[in-house]
Amino acid sequence: MLSIFNIWGTFNRVLFFLSLTVSLAGLAGNTLLLWHLGLRIKKGPFNTYLLHLAAADFLFFSCQVGFSIAKIASGYEDTLYFPVTFLWFAVGLWLLAAFSVDCCLSYMFPSFCGPNCRPRYTSFVLCLVIWALTMLAVLLPANACGLLYNRMSLLVCLKYHWVSVVWLGVLASTACGASMFLLVFGNCCSSQPPSKFCKLAQCSGILLFFCRLPLVFYWCLRPVIKFLLPFFFPLATLLACIDSSAKPLLYYLKGRQLRKEPLQVALNRALGEESQSSSGGISLPMSRV
């Protein structure tokens, strides 16, 4: 029995330091992405989502690194670690869902849902609404369930928790469904090739399915999973860190055309809004949101 606990302790430490290493790399990558999207690329409807997603990932990694360093220094994990880091994780999940659905609608109905058929600041306002609503959707159940230093009220906790479970289930299903639809319809059922943003939504949906869903499951079934599978949370955290840190690399690989191409050129090509042929395709004008 003692050897089992030793093996579990070693496995847990390995996952912890792997998550910290990936978080440091992701923090650097998303800092570069924030600078590039915020200052170097003209804002459009789709890269506005990616700018806010990079900000959510930056906050997620900042909290991940900060709480990890505090744990190393003090020897114990702060109670606020999970609700605070999950807050920014949930913002990113909602932004991914909005981005995927927007790409899907623009690809399917360019004449009615294209970027040129919407008010100027639609994407920006939607992102602000997502930030505000996610605060309520995560912090209210976390507070009712005793994750924010307050006493737990069982009935209130169950009420808020199941609302958040339904909300997260809808978001995850929407993001995965829109990405899979773009993947199947864009490659098999349509004569028009998907735009670069649709391709980014496809890749993000695949990463979300394999890397983000475990942490969503942990939030939904935390007491049960914590008791039956104590290794699940460190593993789910590592997968979430891999997903968020992979996005800057994904954008660079999607934009790179030459073997040795400057980072700025590749990111401009991958994330910059550009006009496309309107003959049956999608129109992505260089308009500000």
Side-chain angles (χ1 to χ4, degrees), residues 217-268:
F217 286 140
Y218 183 79
W219 170 268
C220 297
L221 302 171
R222 188 176 63 89
V224 177
I225 294 177
K226 189 175 182 180
F227 177 74
L228 296 178
L229 300 171
F231 62 87
F232 188 88
F233 177 60
L235 184 59
T237 301
L238 175 61
L239 290 174
C241 292
I242 291 173
D243 173 77
S244 296
S245 62
K247 289 186 182 66
L249 180 60
L250 172 65
Y251 300 155
Y252 172 72
L253 293 177
K254 281 293 181 182
R256 189 183 66 173
Q257 292 182 350
L258 303 176
R259 187 176 183 86
K260 293 183 179 180
E261 192 168 39
L263 177 64
Q264 180 178 337
V265 175
L267 289 180
N268 273 329

Side-chain angles (χ1 to χ4, degrees), residues 160-189:
Y160 280 119
H161 180 69
W162 284 111
V163 170
S164 72
V165 168
V166 173
W167 164 72
L168 284 171
V170 170
L171 285 183
S173 301
T174 301
C176 290
S179 299
M180 293 304 105
F181 181 83
L182 282 171
L183 185 64
V184 174
F185 187 85
N187 294 322
C188 302
C189 306

